[in-house]
Amino acid sequence: MAAGAEPVRPLSLAVSGLAFTYPDGTQALHGIDLSIAAGERVALLGPNGAGKTTLVLHLNGILTPGHGSVAVGGLPVTKANLHEIRRRVGIVFQDPDDQLFMPTVRADVAFGPANFGVRGDALDERVHAALDAVGMAEHADRSPLHLSGGQRRRVALATVLACDPEILVLDEPSSNLDPVARRELAEVLLGLDRTILMVTHDLPYALQLCPRSIVIDDGVVVADGPTRELLADPDLLRRHRLELPYGFTLRGT
Amino acid sequence: MGAGHAHPLYLPRTSAVHGLPAEVKVVAAFLGVVCVVATPREAFAVFGGYLLLLALIWSIARIPPGWLSRRALIETPFVVLAVLLPITGPDPRIDWLGLSVSEPGLLGAWNILVKGTLGVLTSLTLAATTPLPELLLGLQRLRAPALVTTIATLMLRYVDVIVAEARRMRLARIARGHDPRFLWQVGATARGVGSLFIRSYERGERVHLAMLSRGWTGELPQLAERVTTRRDWLRGLAPVAVAAALACTGWVIA
């Protein structure tokens, strides 16, 4: 979209002073500041109820901030830009059954790009490329219902990849996956070469995939730094109800 | 196409009837039923003609009549109603097989029975030759309201998810000693249905969020680009022309 005049690419994601109160009066976010450069892979960590999901729903304008602003690839999230913003922010939801709502895998992957105006051969190409990227091309004509959990998760990823997003947002990508499916998904994600924001409770997964982590608790950012350093700080983890699996400890570099 | 997406009324075959675009078949089935309904009930022979016409379509589509007749049992409740009519109908009464039955009631029963059966058989033929996703695509091409086709498409996708959820909830109840055969335990089943409703509602909200996130604007995009030709329409509407001729004949001879 943007002309090649700029010397540096704009930040993939810039959030500043974001605050949000739900209609029932619960304040979920108290001023979040964070920025993610193009190509970064960042884990968003925090206990249940910290505001992670609320933050994610602001990134593509499903929730409208009370204060502060969000910009994706330099484009502010406003009502007028909503369509383009939703193309730029690809959210993979936690339960693939929520994400895969069309009768066949192919139709589901085509849903996003078709909404964004891609048609005909270009659409077929997009669908094929996205399914290929997640290793599901041979299942294009099956019903999502007949796929395994890991396959469904990868198709859900493909539905978003087909929109060619600026930033991929993954909500608990490793939940309900067996170890092999979990590893296969990690391989797919590492091979994508895209900006990724991954919301997770799975700390080893965050360490494996994301060089940088952001911890939020009670609606504010409480830590932002290299994942290994954050996970090697037992006090920080304890304060924010984060915990490495039994038997694991990490030493900072 | 549509591997593994079977429904019990669909019979996968490759035939000229299966190959027709869904919207042609929907229109043909609808018009066919209109012809049947418009035929006067006294034109008994004409209804035989309709049945022959259907039989011809079944042989082209290679649908065994036995397979169809088993599914046609869905009509039974209406037949029961029709059987009551000759007994309870108004005068004049005639003697038939040693029974005194009402003549208008008898004709009314025949009317319900024959038109209902032909209608059910026509619908079953449509269902047997058209997979559900294509049926929805056909309705979409016929400019059915976008909301209706969207709801139907999502229902098609989620009915299995909800059934699976209901099965898991039932298993969880049985695993804790629930035995729904006893009448006084029906309360737990009812609460299960209630929570299934809540769960489905919440899932609906999450699905809606996921759709919005991928730029949904209120209408499912048309993906298959197959163009319906004039030839498809001509072939699909040929049986309708025969049915219309039968209906006219019915008016002449009645």
Side-chain angles (χ1 to χ4, degrees):
Chain A
M1 276 292 163
E6 295 141 318
V8 280
R9 270 182 80 181
L11 289 171
S12 270
L13 180 67
V15 177
S16 73
L18 183 65
F20 179 75
T21 308
Y22 276 102
D24 67 357
T26 327
Q27 185 155 14
L29 301 177
H30 297 261
I32 298 261
D33 291 287
L34 61 91
S35 53
I36 296 176
E40 265 195 297
R41 288 194 305 275
V42 180
L44 185 63
L45 311 175
N48 289 333
K52 302 189 297 289
T53 305
T54 311
L55 176 59
V56 165
L57 293 180
H58 276 89
L59 301 186
N60 71 348
I62 284 179
L63 295 178
T64 314
H67 292 283
S69 66
V70 179
V72 181
L75 187 72
V77 177
T78 60
K79 270 240 153 58
N81 296 336
L82 220 49
H83 206 58
E84 172 62 13
I85 286 292
R86 287 184 180 162
R87 189 194 65 72
R88 290 189 183 196
V89 180
I91 301 185
V92 182
F93 288 89
Q94 186 171 354
D95 184 349
D97 270 336
D98 296 341
Q99 183 124 20
L100 306 177
F101 42 76
M102 296 290 275
T104 65
V105 167
R106 181 194 305 281
D108 217 303
V109 176
F111 179 85
N115 280 331
F116 297 119
V118 185
R119 288 283 182 278
D121 288 345
L123 182 61
D124 287 344
E125 228 162 81
R126 281 277 189 102
V127 171
H128 188 78
L131 283 173
D132 217 28
V134 299
M136 289 294 294
E138 71 270 37
H139 300 290
D141 289 316
R142 295 177 69 186
S143 160
L145 199 71
H146 300 135
L147 301 176
S148 73
Q151 289 174 324
R152 265 185 241 191
R153 189 68 53 115
R154 280 184 283 149
V155 172
L157 180 59
T159 65
V160 167
L161 281 179
C163 303
D164 189 23
E166 165 87 29
I167 179 168
L168 263 179
V169 181
L170 308 163
D171 192 1
E172 292 287 354
S174 62
S175 64
N176 291 326
L177 294 187
D178 63 34
V180 174
R182 183 174 176 277
R183 176 180 52 74
E184 285 169 346
L185 182 69
E187 283 163 5
V188 167
L189 289 173
L190 285 172
L192 285 179
D193 192 27
R194 280 180 188 271
T195 315
I196 292 178
L197 179 66
M198 181 173 108
V199 178
T200 190
H201 291 293
D202 186 341
L203 302 184
Y205 215 48
L207 180 65
Q208 181 186 358
L209 291 174
C210 304
R212 174 183 160 203
S213 285
I214 297 171
V215 181
I216 69 173
D217 196 0
D218 258 334
V220 290
V221 173
V222 292
D224 182 349
T227 306
R228 179 170 283 274
E229 276 177 30
L230 297 186
L231 296 189
D233 181 347
D235 284 338
L236 176 80
L237 296 187
R238 201 173 313 115
R239 269 202 309 278
H240 302 295
R241 291 182 61 81
L242 296 170
E243 211 168 86
L244 285 164
Y246 176 77
F248 282 68
T249 46
L250 271 179
R251 242 162 245 122
T253 41
Chain B
M1 255 197 83
H5 212 81
H7 63 93
L9 295 179
Y10 177 62
L11 189 67
R13 289 273 192 279
T14 40
S15 77
V17 185
H18 284 76
L20 277 178
E23 66 270 33
V24 174
K25 284 184 272 186
V26 171
V27 170
F30 176 72
L31 292 179
V33 172
V34 168
C35 288
V36 169
V37 172
T39 307
R41 58 192 185 183
E42 292 86 358
F44 304 110
V46 169
F47 293 104
Y50 287 129
L51 192 63
L52 275 180
L53 182 64
L54 277 173
L56 185 70
I57 295 174
W58 298 336
S59 74
I60 295 173
R62 297 194 291 129
I63 308 170
W67 187 90
L68 264 178
S69 60
R70 250 174 292 135
R71 282 155 181 83
L73 287 179
I74 189 175
E75 199 201 357
T76 318
F78 303 97
V79 175
V80 171
L81 187 72
V83 164
L84 287 177
L85 274 180
I87 300 161
T88 58
D91 291 338
R93 302 186 83 80
I94 52 165
D95 281 328
W96 184 64
L97 295 178
L99 281 171
S100 163
V101 293
S102 142
E103 194 186 347
L106 200 60
L107 272 177
W110 156 255
N111 194 34
I112 292 178
L113 196 64
V114 73
K115 290 183 180 174
T117 308
L118 285 170
V120 166
L121 289 176
T122 307
S123 315
L124 283 174
T125 311
L126 174 65
T129 56
T130 320
L132 274 176
E134 291 212 8
L135 207 54
L136 292 172
L137 214 61
L139 288 175
Q140 206 176 347
R141 293 213 198 101
L142 288 171
R143 309 258 186 287
L147 198 61
V148 173
T149 51
T150 304
I151 289 173
T153 308
L154 293 181
M155 216 164 71
L156 171 66
R157 165 71 179 90
Y158 283 102
V159 82
D160 292 327
V161 174
I162 292 172
V163 166
E165 202 151 85
R167 194 174 304 130
R168 283 197 300 274
M169 286 167 64
R170 185 177 151 270
L171 273 182
R173 279 204 312 274
I174 290 175
R176 281 180 285 157
H178 181 240
D179 186 351
R181 275 178 307 174
F182 292 113
L183 192 59
W184 52 89
Q185 286 180 331
V186 84
T189 309
R191 275 190 292 278
V193 170
S195 67
L196 190 65
F197 173 77
I198 304 278
R199 284 190 196 190
S200 304
Y201 182 83
E202 287 176 345
R203 182 180 296 282
E205 294 208 314
R206 294 199 302 272
V207 171
H208 184 236
L209 276 188
M211 293 174 81
L212 284 181
S213 298
R214 281 196 275 153
W216 187 60
T217 48
E219 195 171 344
L220 293 178
Q222 291 211 14
L223 299 172
E225 297 285 334
R226 174 173 177 183
V227 183
T228 305
T229 58
R230 181 187 292 258
R231 200 164 147 238
D232 289 330
W233 280 109
L234 285 177
R235 286 204 304 192
L237 293 182
V240 176
V242 178
L246 281 170
C248 292
T249 319
W251 279 106
V252 172
I253 65 171

